Every structure is written in C-alpha cells, then in structure tokens.
Amino acid sequence: MLRTHTPASGRSLRVLALSICLSLSASPVHDAVAGNADLNTTYIFGGGFIRSFSELPTRSAVGVLRPDGALLIAGTAQAQAYAPTDLGIARHLVDGDVDYSYGPSSGQLVYDAFYMKNDEVSFVADADVGTYLGGRTLDGAVPSMTLARITHGGAPDYTFASNGRISVSMGSGAAANAIAVQPDDKVLLLGYSLNASGKKDAAIVRVLPSGALDQTFGVGGKVSLPMSTDHDEVRGAVVRDDGSIVLAIDSRVGTQNYTDVVALNSGGDLVPGFGSNGIVRLARTGYGLYARGIAMDTQGRLVVASHALQYSPYVQGMNMTRLNANGTLDAGYNGSGHLFTTLAPGGNYSVQALELLPTGEAIVVGGLHIPTSGTRTIFSARFTAAGTLDTAYNNGVGYKLGDVGGGSHYDVSAQYLAVAADGRVHVGGRIDGAMFNLRYQGDALDLLPAAMTFPTAYNIPRITQITSPAVTVSGLSAGARVPIHVTGGAYSINGAAQTTLPGTVTNGDSIRLIHMSSSAYATTVTTTVTIGGLSPANNRSHVIGQRMQASFSSITVQQSGGGVSEN
C-alpha cells in the first residue's frame, strides 16, 4: 500500500534546512578551518540540507549514491499521527536539490510495505536491478527481517518477491541491521535472530534477485551463528572475490564485549583457513570492543571499526583493526594491527559507518555526546593506511567535530557516509526527528585514467591465442587504485597470469589484453577493458564515476598462414 504526503512547499522545507545548517555550523565544538573537512559550499544551502518525509519524526537515516552522483536517502517514516511506521525514501540531485521526478509525489516515496505493521529502516542499498531498503517489521511485539525493492524511478518493484517485499522469520524474532549486495546481485541481510532464551544470535539471510531465499546458502537461505551464550549480532560484511563472506559481529559475554570477525564460504559454512576455524575474536586486554563496520582494501586486507571502551582509565573512543586475508593481525598497521584513539576528552562515542578511500585511507563517522557540556554532535575521523590518525585531514587535526548539533539537541548522530568519485564525502544521519545530509570537500580525486590505445593485429592464424602490446596506466590521482574489468577475453597486469576476474590497477601498471582469434577466416575478435571510477561498496553493487574503455582487436587471415602486422 502506498501512502503519499504533500509537504509544505519546497521553499519552506529549504528555508528550514538553510537556517538550521547555518545555526548549527556555529556550534562551539566546531573549529572552522580551510581544507578537506570543510563543507562543500557548491552543495545546496552552502553544504547540506535537513529534511523529513512528513511533519512527524523520522526515526532513522541511511543513504547511498547512485552512479550519476545522485543521493538516495531513506528512513523510517510516519504519514499520520498514531499510524504504523512505513519505509521512506527520497532522491536528491548532485547539487542537493530534491529530484521531483522521483516517486509518486514530491520526490519521495512513503511505502507501507507490510500493511498496517510497524516497518523500520536500517539500510538502503543500490544495485542495477533497483534499490533495496528495509530492516525489520513488527507484528505485534515479534520482529522479522524485511527487504523491499524499489525501482530506480521510485516505485515499489512488484516483480520482486511477494508484491515487492519479503519478510523473513528466524527463531522467535529477527531483524536486519545492514545489507551487502553481491556481484551476482544476491543480497545478504545481516542482523540477528532471537533464540529460545530470548537472546540474540548473529544471523545472515541470502536472497536471490527474484526475492526468493537462496536455498544453496545455509539451511533454506539462512545461517545462525551463536558466537556466545549472550547477545551477538552482525553489524556489517564484505564479499570477497572468491564468493566468501566476512562478517563483523558485535558479541557480548556477560559484561565483556568483543568484535568477532567471521569468514563463511559461499554456501554459508565457516572457512577453516581463516583465523581459528573461520573465527577471529578481537579481544584487547583492558578494552571492550563493539563491532560497527568492516571494509576490504584493494589488497584483500580487512579493516574493522569498533566503538571502544578503555577500562582504566575509563575512556570512550574508537578502535581500528586491520587483518590480513587469512585473519591474522596485520603488524604493518600501527605496529600491532590495532589503533585505539579518542577525539574529544570526556566524549561518549557512537561509531556508525566506515568507508575506505581508493587512496587507502579509512573514514569513520558517528555521533558524539559530551556530558559535561550537554553537546550532541557528529564526528568524522580519517586514518592512514599505516594505521595512524591522518593529520592531512582537517588541517593537521585528523578529525572533525560539529556542523550538526550543539547543546540544545536531544538526538544527533551521523549514520552513514558515502564517498563520491570526485573525492567529496557525504555524511548523513538523524537530528531530533529529521534527516540531514552534508557534503564535505574531501581531497580531489581523479579516477579516470588517460586514454589507452591498443593496436589492431592483422592476418592472425585462426584459433590462436594473441596478446596485445603492453600499455601503461596513467592519469590517476597519486596512490589511487581503480577497478578494472574485461569483456571478450582476459587481461594481465605487470606480466602476471591472465585473468577474467575484476581487479584494481594504479598508475604505472602495465596492461596486456589477451584473447583467442576466431575460428573463421577474415573475422574480427575484440577484447574491451574498462578502467576507472570508484569501486563497489557494501551497499552498492556498481562502480560510480567516469570510466575509460579501450579495445584490442585481431583479424584472422583471408585464407591460411599469414603473419602479424600492426597499424
């Protein structure tokens, strides 16, 4: 069932957003400095907007970028007072203005996916087949995982599952905290199920693009992982090139919290070669760790962000960990594999999102409450690939506090971040029953390589493997690695074995294209390589930004024999 809401005029909404953003940017915890942590003033209202789906509060906020740079922002909506909550989603153009062509009304869709039940949004993800959003729905007091698919035009996709949405029950209740979209468009729902004792077990569900549960995964498409005798829930996941899945799980045993990193194969079974029978428990003496995010760098290493408590002296902060592909701690990361850091003294942190830049740095965002001043605001922090606070961020500080919040707000937190292909960074979340999105300058990125030319090979014998001359990648931002994929053949990087699988390249890499010539006379075979853009992330299955294409062709001889010539 669709619910539409016609808000006050677009101008009224915008003026509200402008006045709030300007007043909040003067928060006492915000030190305005020039550089990559500044708001991007070419974005709407000088750097950001605040919105909701109706006059009633919006209880969550999540966001993702489309390939063209437009922003999809979603949350839990309520169309009428005392009515059940619904799924809400809107689209904003690259400049931040509302895309009024999206959805049935006013650039948004409010969707009563599960008729007259309380629907809650925990995630949004974008794929070629459409946009996914969901989290959980409450039938009375019993929660279940939910997933709905929306068309790119902003309408429910009724070809997906049952009337465009699916509800999944596990144990005595279940909910999804996050999502991961696989390269094959299968969707992983990540969260928890309630066991017979009423405690949470980590739970994963895999859904096919049709909306049916994937019967090749776990038992009937579901995997339950009781990591302890207490509460466990999945907070994030990455999907590796071999199809295996690595999970970040928030685990608690009594009063002690751990971050567990767990590897499953494509069928949902533990991977024996990862850690101890597929499990790595990040347990630091003197600390409690609460898993909040996981990402994989271009070398296959795993970066894990956790909210952290240091017990003596008692300090809240964040913990960054990097693991090698086999689950061992990477000693090249801050000398131990771990980094614990605090930002504002006496602050209570809520780490919410993690993303890696193509140049190797990690960005973390979340909420911050400073009890002594009553300030509630957001924070962002950037870490180097070596595992230190990145002093190249925010003019030597390495982190930033403020731009939203202050002493008079009761609920402020950054809930998501999204890096654009030009290096600008979107940070969004919730503030006092509304949603906000800010765009920061970031460091300029050039992820479009210089044009490549592969000469055509003529008079090639039939059914013969032929390799192009090498061409060198150039024109990218220093240190940036960008995706590469090939059609109609294979490629080799720096003389390594040829492959057809997607990969990444950087400046100076030497690329050769390889294919088998035709079995017919005077026939052309072409291999095309595509390089550039920002690699897919957990909540989007596509590359964003401009890409370069180059082709290598071979033409077989007119009759038999012949040699190779190039133009």
Side-chain angles (χ1 to χ4, degrees):
M1 175 181 178
L2 295 182
R3 292 179 181 157
T4 60
H5 167 72
T6 304
S9 70
R11 180 173 177 79
S12 297
L13 175 64
R14 293 171 186 157
V15 170
L16 173 64
L18 177 61
S19 64
I20 292 177
C21 283
L22 288 179
S23 65
L24 295 180
S25 65
S27 166
V29 297
H30 169 51
D31 295 322
V33 294
N36 49 19
D38 274 1
L39 291 173
N40 175 222
T41 57
T42 65
Y43 198 58
I44 194 168
F45 307 127
F49 63 82
I50 292 177
R51 64 159 297 146
S52 60
F53 293 111
S54 72
E55 291 86 355
L56 298 171
T58 298
R59 300 183 186 176
S60 60
V62 287
V64 65
L65 291 179
R66 291 281 295 137
D68 62 0
L71 173 75
L72 295 170
I73 185 168
T76 303
Q78 193 169 16
Q80 302 172 25
Y82 308 109
T85 53
D86 301 325
L87 310 179
I89 187 168
R91 187 166 67 196
H92 287 251
L93 300 171
V94 175
D95 64 2
D97 202 356
V98 176
D99 183 355
Y100 290 103
S101 70
Y102 185 80
S105 173
S106 302
Q108 67 179 35
L109 168 71
V110 175
Y111 180 27
D112 182 14
F114 299 90
Y115 181 64
M116 296 304 292
K117 296 179 182 178
N118 282 304
D119 307 327
E120 297 181 5
V121 174
S122 299
F123 59 78
V124 64
D126 201 50
D128 293 335
V129 294
T131 302
Y132 293 100
L133 71 161
R136 72 173 188 169
T137 190
L138 287 169
D139 187 359
V142 179
S144 59
M145 289 187 181
T146 54
L147 179 68
R149 193 164 76 197
I150 309 300
T151 69
H152 291 311
D157 183 354
Y158 294 117
T159 68
F160 177 74
S162 174
N163 292 319
R165 77 287 191 276
I166 183 174
S167 174
V168 182
S169 298
M170 292 183 71
S172 58
N177 298 317
I179 188 173
V181 182
Q182 298 187 174
D184 58 4
D185 286 329
K186 294 178 182 178
V187 174
L188 296 168
L189 298 179
L190 312 163
Y192 66 85
S193 60
L194 297 174
N195 58 34
S197 301
K199 295 183 177 180
K200 297 177 181 178
D201 290 333
I204 310 97
V205 173
R206 192 160 70 193
V207 182
L208 299 173
S210 66
L213 297 185
D214 184 355
Q215 300 300 314
T216 68
F217 185 74
V219 178
K222 308 173 185 179
V223 171
S224 179
L225 293 169
M227 303 301 299
S228 70
T229 57
D230 219 317
H231 292 288
D232 318 297
E233 53 186 306
V234 185
R235 290 291 186 172
V238 295
V239 180
R240 301 198 283 194
D241 292 340
D242 63 0
S244 62
I245 303 157
V246 184
L247 310 168
I249 299 176
D250 189 7
S251 297
R252 189 176 80 201
V253 181
T255 59
Q256 181 66 46
N257 282 76
Y258 305 95
T259 289
D260 287 332
V261 184
V262 177
L264 307 178
N265 63 24
S266 59
D269 298 320
L270 292 168
V271 176
F274 183 87
S276 176
N277 194 34
I279 300 171
V280 174
R281 171 154 286 178
L282 302 181
R284 299 194 66 187
T285 301
Y287 295 88
L289 302 182
Y290 304 73
R292 287 299 181 265
I294 185 170
M296 184 172 65
D297 70 12
T298 55
Q299 299 180 52
R301 299 174 301 194
L302 301 161
V303 179
V304 183
S306 303
H307 169 67
L309 292 180
Q310 178 181 281
Y311 297 133
S312 182
Y314 183 84
V315 177
Q316 290 200 29
M318 68 188 76
N319 190 85
M320 303 293 292
T321 302
R322 193 167 72 196
L323 302 175
N324 295 310
N326 64 359
T328 58
L329 283 169
D330 181 0
Y333 193 76
N334 196 39
S336 64
H338 289 293
L339 170 68
F340 172 80
T341 184
T342 61
L343 304 181
N348 297 331
Y349 290 86
S350 173
V351 176
Q352 294 294 333
L354 159 72
E355 190 160 339
L356 300 184
L357 296 174
T359 45
E361 298 89 352
I363 302 177
V364 176
V365 300
L368 173 63
H369 176 216
I370 303 176
T372 54
S373 65
T375 298
R376 296 182 186 273
T377 186
I378 65 171
F379 75 86
S380 62
R382 198 169 81 182
F383 302 90
T384 68
T388 60
L389 199 61
D390 185 1
T391 55
Y393 182 66
N394 198 16
N395 200 30
V397 180
Y399 61 87
K400 188 178 187 185
L401 314 177
D403 290 324
V404 168
S408 61
H409 299 275
Y410 63 87
D411 182 25
V412 182
S413 181
Q415 299 292 115
Y416 67 86
L417 68 94
V419 178
D422 61 4
R424 292 170 177 163
V425 179
H426 291 260
V427 176
R430 65 178 190 267
I431 175 169
D432 298 349
M435 302 182 294
F436 70 85
N437 183 78
L438 307 175
R439 191 169 75 182
Y440 290 95
Q441 283 289 103
D443 289 316
L445 288 175
D446 188 347
L447 304 182
L448 179 66
M452 294 180 171
T453 301
F454 294 92
T456 299
Y458 295 94
N459 300 321
I460 303 301
R462 294 177 300 153
I463 319 175
T464 300
Q465 180 172 292
I466 181 164
T467 301
S468 75
V471 178
T472 301
V473 177
S474 64
L476 301 172
S477 292
R481 298 195 67 86
V482 299
I484 176 174
H485 79 267
V486 69
T487 57
Y491 68 94
S492 171
I493 302 175
N494 299 330
Q498 67 183 57
T499 182
T500 59
L501 297 175
T504 61
V505 293
T506 190
N507 287 334
D509 281 345
S510 177
I511 309 299
R512 296 178 186 268
L513 303 184
I514 304 114
H515 62 236
M516 192 70 68
S517 65
S518 176
S519 60
Y521 291 116
T523 301
T524 301
V525 171
T526 299
T527 299
T528 300
V529 66
T530 302
I531 302 175
L534 198 64
S535 295
N538 293 354
N539 65 343
R540 56 176 172 80
S541 62
H542 46 68
V543 174
I544 59 176
Q546 291 183 299
R547 288 166 281 175
M548 183 278 305
Q549 284 193 335
S551 297
F552 169 59
S553 297
S554 68
I555 305 174
T556 50
V557 295
Q558 292 285 343
Q559 295 180 344
S560 61
V564 177
S565 62
E566 298 174 356
N567 62 0

